[in-house]
Amino acid sequence: VSNAGVGMAGPPECQSLAAMQSLMDTNFFGLVRLVKEVLPDMKRRRGGHIVVISSIMGLQGIVFNDVYAASKFAVEGFCESLVVQALRFNVAISLVEPGPVTTEFEAKLYEEAERADYSRTDPETADIFTNLYLRNSKDVFASLGQTPEDIAEHTLRVIEAARPPFRHQTNAAYAPMAALKHADPSGALMTDAFYKLVFKYDAVLRLSLR
Protein backbone atom coordinates (compact mmCIF):
# COMPACT_ATOMS: atom_id res chain seq x y z
CA VAL A 1 0.00 0.00 0.00
CA SER A 2 1.43 3.35 -1.08
CA ASN A 3 0.06 6.06 1.19
CA ALA A 4 2.79 8.71 1.50
CA GLY A 5 1.61 12.18 0.61
CA VAL A 6 1.98 15.90 1.24
CA GLY A 7 -0.35 18.72 0.29
CA MET A 8 -0.06 22.20 -1.19
CA ALA A 9 -2.71 24.83 -1.85
CA GLY A 10 -2.51 28.40 -3.02
CA PRO A 11 -1.56 30.54 -6.02
CA PRO A 12 1.39 28.86 -7.79
CA GLU A 13 3.31 32.14 -8.06
CA CYS A 14 3.47 32.13 -4.24
CA GLN A 15 5.02 28.65 -4.04
CA SER A 16 8.70 27.97 -4.58
CA LEU A 17 9.90 25.56 -7.23
CA ALA A 18 11.82 23.69 -4.51
CA ALA A 19 8.60 23.12 -2.55
CA MET A 20 6.85 21.90 -5.71
CA GLN A 21 9.73 19.50 -6.47
CA SER A 22 9.65 18.21 -2.88
CA LEU A 23 5.93 17.50 -3.16
CA MET A 24 6.43 15.61 -6.43
CA ASP A 25 9.27 13.64 -4.88
CA THR A 26 6.96 12.38 -2.14
CA ASN A 27 3.62 12.05 -3.92
CA PHE A 28 4.85 10.68 -7.24
CA PHE A 29 8.44 9.46 -7.01
CA GLY A 30 7.72 7.92 -3.59
CA LEU A 31 5.24 5.64 -5.37
CA VAL A 32 7.72 4.97 -8.20
CA ARG A 33 10.42 3.94 -5.71
CA LEU A 34 7.99 1.59 -3.96
CA VAL A 35 6.89 -0.05 -7.22
CA LYS A 36 10.51 -0.53 -8.33
CA GLU A 37 11.18 -2.37 -5.07
CA VAL A 38 8.17 -4.69 -4.95
CA LEU A 39 7.10 -5.29 -8.56
CA PRO A 40 10.04 -7.49 -9.68
CA ASP A 41 9.37 -10.05 -6.90
CA MET A 42 5.63 -9.98 -7.62
CA LYS A 43 6.32 -10.63 -11.30
CA ARG A 44 8.60 -13.55 -10.43
CA ARG A 45 5.90 -15.02 -8.16
CA ARG A 46 3.24 -14.14 -10.74
CA GLY A 47 1.05 -12.73 -8.00
CA GLY A 48 0.62 -9.58 -5.96
CA HIS A 49 -1.45 -6.46 -5.39
CA ILE A 50 -0.27 -2.84 -5.24
CA VAL A 51 -2.80 -0.47 -3.69
CA VAL A 52 -2.19 3.24 -4.24
CA ILE A 53 -3.93 5.99 -2.27
CA SER A 54 -4.57 8.53 -5.01
CA SER A 55 -7.20 11.29 -4.94
CA ILE A 56 -10.25 12.52 -6.78
CA MET A 57 -7.83 15.30 -7.78
CA GLY A 58 -6.02 12.73 -9.87
CA LEU A 59 -9.11 12.76 -12.11
CA GLN A 60 -10.12 16.41 -11.89
CA GLY A 61 -8.00 19.42 -11.04
CA ILE A 62 -9.35 21.85 -8.44
CA VAL A 63 -8.67 25.58 -8.36
CA PHE A 64 -5.63 26.52 -6.21
CA ASN A 65 -4.54 22.86 -5.95
CA ASP A 66 -2.48 23.02 -9.14
CA VAL A 67 0.70 21.24 -8.00
CA TYR A 68 -1.02 18.71 -5.73
CA ALA A 69 -3.41 17.78 -8.54
CA ALA A 70 -0.48 17.49 -10.94
CA SER A 71 1.19 14.99 -8.60
CA LYS A 72 -1.97 12.89 -8.43
CA PHE A 73 -2.45 13.09 -12.21
CA ALA A 74 1.10 11.72 -12.46
CA VAL A 75 0.21 8.89 -10.08
CA GLU A 76 -2.88 8.04 -12.12
CA GLY A 77 -0.99 8.12 -15.42
CA PHE A 78 1.84 5.98 -14.06
CA CYS A 79 -0.55 3.34 -12.75
CA GLU A 80 -2.79 3.42 -15.83
CA SER A 81 0.26 2.77 -17.98
CA LEU A 82 1.59 0.04 -15.68
CA VAL A 83 -1.61 -1.92 -15.04
CA VAL A 84 -1.70 -3.72 -18.41
CA GLN A 85 1.86 -5.00 -18.04
CA ALA A 86 1.17 -5.99 -14.43
CA LEU A 87 -1.90 -8.01 -15.41
CA ARG A 88 0.31 -10.14 -17.67
CA PHE A 89 2.07 -11.29 -14.49
CA ASN A 90 -1.14 -11.67 -12.44
CA VAL A 91 -0.32 -8.54 -10.42
CA ALA A 92 -3.24 -6.24 -9.57
CA ILE A 93 -2.95 -2.48 -9.24
CA SER A 94 -5.69 -0.49 -7.51
CA LEU A 95 -6.13 3.27 -7.16
CA VAL A 96 -8.18 4.35 -4.14
CA GLU A 97 -9.50 7.86 -4.88
CA PRO A 98 -10.84 9.74 -1.84
CA GLY A 99 -12.34 13.19 -1.86
CA PRO A 100 -11.75 15.35 1.23
CA VAL A 101 -10.69 13.44 4.35
CA THR A 102 -10.90 15.15 7.72
CA THR A 103 -7.48 14.69 9.32
CA GLU A 104 -4.70 16.72 10.92
CA PHE A 105 -3.07 16.67 7.47
CA GLU A 106 -5.80 18.90 6.05
CA ALA A 107 -6.10 21.06 9.16
CA LYS A 108 -2.36 21.78 9.09
CA LEU A 109 -2.45 22.53 5.36
CA TYR A 110 -5.18 25.14 5.76
CA GLU A 111 -3.60 26.67 8.85
CA GLU A 112 -0.40 27.18 6.88
CA ALA A 113 -2.38 28.60 3.95
CA GLU A 114 -4.08 31.16 6.18
CA ARG A 115 -0.70 32.36 7.50
CA ALA A 116 1.17 32.36 4.19
CA ASP A 117 2.58 35.40 2.39
CA TYR A 118 0.65 36.25 -0.78
CA SER A 119 2.59 39.36 -1.71
CA ARG A 120 3.98 37.61 -4.82
CA THR A 121 0.53 37.48 -6.41
CA ASP A 122 -1.91 40.23 -7.29
CA PRO A 123 -4.40 41.46 -4.66
CA GLU A 124 -7.43 40.05 -6.51
CA THR A 125 -5.99 36.53 -6.62
CA ALA A 126 -4.96 36.73 -2.97
CA ASP A 127 -8.48 37.83 -2.04
CA ILE A 128 -10.10 35.02 -4.07
CA PHE A 129 -7.89 32.44 -2.38
CA THR A 130 -8.19 33.64 1.22
CA ASN A 131 -11.79 34.87 1.25
CA LEU A 132 -13.43 32.55 -1.27
CA TYR A 133 -11.45 29.34 -1.65
CA LEU A 134 -10.44 28.78 1.98
CA ARG A 135 -13.93 29.59 3.27
CA ASN A 136 -15.63 27.26 0.79
CA SER A 137 -13.09 24.51 1.42
CA LYS A 138 -13.92 24.49 5.13
CA ASP A 139 -17.60 24.06 4.28
CA VAL A 140 -16.78 21.25 1.84
CA PHE A 141 -14.75 19.39 4.46
CA ALA A 142 -17.41 19.89 7.13
CA SER A 143 -20.16 18.61 4.82
CA LEU A 144 -18.51 15.99 2.60
CA GLY A 145 -15.31 15.04 4.43
CA GLN A 146 -14.79 11.37 5.26
CA THR A 147 -13.00 9.98 8.30
CA PRO A 148 -9.66 8.15 8.02
CA GLU A 149 -11.45 5.06 9.32
CA ASP A 150 -13.91 5.25 6.42
CA ILE A 151 -11.06 5.42 3.90
CA ALA A 152 -9.38 2.48 5.65
CA GLU A 153 -12.58 0.43 5.29
CA HIS A 154 -12.77 1.25 1.59
CA THR A 155 -9.11 0.29 1.18
CA LEU A 156 -9.66 -2.99 3.01
CA ARG A 157 -12.54 -3.87 0.69
CA VAL A 158 -10.29 -3.22 -2.30
CA ILE A 159 -7.53 -5.41 -0.81
CA GLU A 160 -9.94 -8.26 -0.05
CA ALA A 161 -11.80 -8.15 -3.38
CA ALA A 162 -11.68 -11.36 -5.40
CA ARG A 163 -11.14 -9.24 -8.53
CA PRO A 164 -9.59 -5.97 -7.31
CA PRO A 165 -10.84 -2.88 -9.16
CA PHE A 166 -8.35 -0.64 -10.91
CA ARG A 167 -10.12 2.50 -9.65
CA HIS A 168 -12.24 2.85 -6.51
CA GLN A 169 -13.77 6.20 -5.54
CA THR A 170 -14.69 6.45 -1.87
CA ASN A 171 -17.20 9.30 -2.07
CA ALA A 172 -20.12 9.13 -4.52
CA ALA A 173 -20.65 12.89 -4.20
CA TYR A 174 -17.64 13.44 -6.46
CA ALA A 175 -18.74 11.14 -9.31
CA PRO A 176 -20.24 14.06 -11.33
CA MET A 177 -16.81 15.71 -11.46
CA ALA A 178 -15.37 12.88 -13.53
CA ALA A 179 -18.58 12.57 -15.54
CA LEU A 180 -18.31 16.19 -16.74
CA LYS A 181 -14.95 15.48 -18.36
CA HIS A 182 -16.23 12.41 -20.18
CA ALA A 183 -19.41 14.20 -21.30
CA ASP A 184 -17.44 16.86 -23.19
CA PRO A 185 -13.91 15.91 -24.32
CA SER A 186 -13.18 19.56 -25.24
CA GLY A 187 -13.23 20.49 -21.53
CA ALA A 188 -15.58 23.43 -22.08
CA LEU A 189 -18.47 21.95 -20.07
CA MET A 190 -16.29 21.15 -17.06
CA THR A 191 -14.51 24.51 -17.13
CA ASP A 192 -17.74 26.48 -17.41
CA ALA A 193 -19.41 24.50 -14.62
CA PHE A 194 -16.51 25.01 -12.21
CA TYR A 195 -16.15 28.69 -13.08
CA LYS A 196 -19.80 29.32 -12.29
CA LEU A 197 -19.62 27.23 -9.12
CA VAL A 198 -16.63 29.19 -7.82
CA PHE A 199 -17.39 32.73 -8.99
CA LYS A 200 -21.14 33.00 -9.56
CA TYR A 201 -22.90 30.53 -7.29
CA ASP A 202 -20.51 30.28 -4.34
CA ALA A 203 -23.22 31.49 -1.93
CA VAL A 204 -25.58 28.78 -3.17
CA LEU A 205 -22.75 26.23 -2.83
CA ARG A 206 -22.09 27.20 0.79
CA LEU A 207 -25.78 27.14 1.65
CA SER A 208 -26.28 23.70 0.10
CA LEU A 209 -23.25 22.30 1.92
CA ARG A 210 -24.54 23.58 5.25
Side-chain angles (χ1 to χ4, degrees):
V1 177
S2 175
N3 188 41
V6 293
M8 179 182 288
E13 59 267 43
C14 297
Q15 298 156 347
S16 71
L17 192 59
M20 295 178 184
Q21 290 171 328
S22 177
L23 181 143
M24 292 296 294
D25 190 54
T26 298
N27 292 9
F28 175 61
F29 287 106
L31 166 64
V32 173
R33 286 192 289 269
L34 176 68
V35 169
K36 283 171 63 68
E37 288 292 329
V38 302
L39 186 59
D41 284 338
M42 290 181 175
K43 289 166 75 173
R44 279 192 287 270
R45 295 198 304 267
R46 290 194 172 264
H49 189 187
I50 299 171
V51 179
V52 182
I53 307 301
S54 181
S55 169
I56 196 68
M57 277 194 253
L59 300 175
Q60 171 62 58
I62 301 294
V63 62
F64 291 121
N65 285 269
D66 319 79
V67 180
Y68 179 79
S71 73
K72 293 301 184 178
F73 267 72
V75 164
E76 295 271 335
F78 178 75
C79 291
E80 194 170 276
S81 300
L82 187 63
V83 66
V84 174
Q85 179 208 146
L87 284 174
R88 177 69 177 177
F89 295 89
N90 195 38
V91 175
I93 295 177
S94 296
L95 289 157
V96 177
E97 299 163 334
V101 184
T102 306
T103 65
E104 291 181 5
F105 174 94
E106 298 294 344
K108 183 172 181 290
L109 179 65
Y110 287 112
E111 285 175 7
E112 291 175 353
E114 288 175 342
R115 296 194 305 266
D117 176 16
Y118 298 110
S119 60
R120 283 174 290 178
T121 190
D122 59 277
E124 184 178 0
T125 299
D127 181 68
I128 292 168
F129 177 67
T130 55
N131 295 319
L132 195 64
Y133 170 81
L134 288 179
R135 181 177 57 182
N136 286 346
S137 291
K138 289 177 181 178
D139 288 341
V140 168
F141 272 85
S143 177
L144 300 175
Q146 294 176 273
T147 65
E149 291 78 13
D150 193 17
I151 304 303
E153 289 292 337
H154 278 273
T155 305
L156 182 61
R157 288 202 293 274
V158 168
I159 291 171
E160 293 180 335
R163 297 185 64 182
F166 175 56
R167 284 191 169 96
H168 176 82
Q169 295 177 23
T170 68
N171 193 329
Y174 283 82
M177 288 173 49
L180 281 174
K181 294 184 77 169
H182 292 294
D184 176 16
S186 78
L189 178 62
M190 177 274 297
T191 303
D192 183 62
F194 273 83
Y195 181 87
K196 288 176 178 175
L197 191 65
V198 172
F199 293 113
K200 291 190 175 182
Y201 306 129
D202 64 295
V204 176
L205 171 64
R206 289 198 306 275
L207 184 63
S208 64
L209 288 171
R210 290 170 182 171

